[in-house]
């Protein structure tokens, strides 16, 4: 089930937008005109990723520096070894929707 998240115009390219969808903390990011959503949880020790520094399509966990791909949730560097969840998105009539169903 898709949930409305924000207007498409709210998203700034490559700037993560942390928010909550259906009681889950997520990060929405517009990259190359595609909207991506990953869970705002680091798989190393549960830190929130949303305040992390970004570079290209990656975000670094503020706690110990593990990097994740904002498009897929893949863990790119230690100390994280497992991907964080990624979720489906869609854009309709200028509005962004996310499904956090697994
Ligand atoms: S909690 Fe994210 S790198 Fe440790």
């Amino acid at each position: 089930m898709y949930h409305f998240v924000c207007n498409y115009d709210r998203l700034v390219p490559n700037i993560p937008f942390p928010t909550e969808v259906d009681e889950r903390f997520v990060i929405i990011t517009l990259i190359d005109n595609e909207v991506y959503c990953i869970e705002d949880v680091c798989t190393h020790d549960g830190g929130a990723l949303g305040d992390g520094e970004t570079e290209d399509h990656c975000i670094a966990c503020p706690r110990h520096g593990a990097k994740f791909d904002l498009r897929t949730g893949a863990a790119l560097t230690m100390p994280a070894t497992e991907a964080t969840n990624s979720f489906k998105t869609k854009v309709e009539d200028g509005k962004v929707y996310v499904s956090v169903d697994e």
Side-chain angles (χ1 to χ4, degrees):
M1 177 181 175
Y2 280 90
H3 300 267
F4 170 72
V5 178
C6 64
N7 290 327
Y8 184 83
D9 290 353
R10 162 74 178 74
L11 299 175
V12 180
N14 303 316
I15 305 295
F17 172 51
T19 188
E20 192 176 340
V21 177
D22 199 21
E23 301 183 1
R24 296 182 85 145
F25 293 100
V26 301
I27 301 172
I28 314 289
T29 316
L30 178 64
I31 300 172
D32 294 335
N33 297 317
E34 292 285 335
V35 178
Y36 297 95
C37 179
I38 66 170
E39 192 153 30
D40 192 359
V41 176
C42 177
T43 56
H44 173 236
D45 196 27
L49 299 170
D51 291 333
E53 291 192 11
T54 60
E55 187 180 333
D56 297 328
H57 54 269
C58 304
I59 191 164
C61 178
R63 288 187 62 200
H64 313 108
K67 290 185 180 173
F68 291 86
D69 192 316
L70 286 161
R71 302 168 299 182
T72 64
L76 302 174
T77 65
M78 296 292 279
T81 57
E82 293 180 24
T84 195
N85 290 316
S86 63
F87 302 113
K88 291 183 206 157
T89 69
K90 68 177 182 180
V91 179
E92 283 181 2
D93 298 328
K95 298 182 189 313
V96 177
Y97 298 86
V98 169
S99 169
V100 292
D101 300 334
E102 293 183 41

